[in-house]
Amino acid sequence: EPEVTQTPSHQVTQMGQEVILRCVPISNHLYFYWYRQILGQKVEFLVSFYNNEISEKSEIFDDQFSVERPDGSNFTLKIRSTKLEDSAMYFCASSATGNFYEQYFGPGTRLTVT
Amino acid sequence: AQSVTQPDIHITVSEGASLELRCNYSYGATPYLFWYVQSPGQGLQLLLKYFSGDTLVQGIKGFEAEFKRSQSSFNLRKPSVHWSDAAEYFCAVGTVDNDMRFGAGTRLTVKP
């Protein structure tokens, strides 16, 4: 069964450093998403991406965040200058259509900022 | 604004007992509703979803949920809980902006 994959599973970085979280969505999917979950809190929407551009973003997704689909398979989330409060689990998701039918989630990348 | 409330932060049930997890939503139109489960250290797995039609929806692992528009609820149920059901459960609503709003989650503990 096709699945969304994410690498790395755990990333430790120092405050102020740039990190790139990688996701490989399901191959025939067209819509891509990033969510984050701070430890013990709810899952929060960050951004959705379609047709090589951001279609929607939350207030969390400020200028330090960016997303990119550098090739036909990867979908990345970049945090330019990490802060302690960026420590969270980051989930990538993809869907075949944009009607939030069946958003398939990856296993997540745990980001720890020290 | 669209939102989801899960009133119970933590629920403990005995193995074999029935389970009901509560979810209330706030949304102006017909909502798209989901239940996800997250086992420790794992990602989110879709249990079931409601878009339209029959208000009682069946999902995986023996779960079901009932959409009640009059109560703005979408409660998750299972007639007999197994120890492997211990996890965090999230209710979510799909929005017109094509993102999902999650509830805070309910942690389920299963006693032997």
Side-chain angles (χ1 to χ4, degrees), chain A residues 33-49:
Chain A
Y33 313 84
W34 282 102
Y35 294 80
R36 81 170 184 191
Q37 183 184 30
I38 295 172
L39 187 63
Q41 299 186 24
K42 68 171 70 176
V43 176
E44 301 171 290
F45 168 76
L46 290 178
V47 66
S48 59
F49 190 86

Side-chain angles (χ1 to χ4, degrees), chain B residues 15-81:
Chain B
E15 190 167 16
S18 64
L19 170 70
E20 182 168 26
L21 302 182
R22 296 185 289 165
C23 172
N24 294 98
Y25 66 90
S26 171
Y27 191 63
T30 299
Y32 294 79
L33 295 162
F34 306 82
W35 274 100
Y36 283 85
V37 61
Q38 182 183 32
S39 297
Q42 303 296 311
L44 298 166
Q45 182 182 25
L46 180 66
L47 283 176
L48 47 78
K49 60 185 184 289
Y50 170 78
F51 291 152
S52 65
D54 193 349
T55 57
L56 185 64
V57 293
Q58 302 296 320
I60 62 171
K61 304 185 180 186
F63 285 93
E64 66 178 27
E66 186 171 12
F67 170 62
K68 292 185 178 180
R69 184 187 299 276
S70 62
Q71 298 177 18
S72 297
S73 70
F74 188 57
N75 294 347
L76 181 72
R77 301 194 294 251
K78 187 170 184 177
S80 178
V81 168

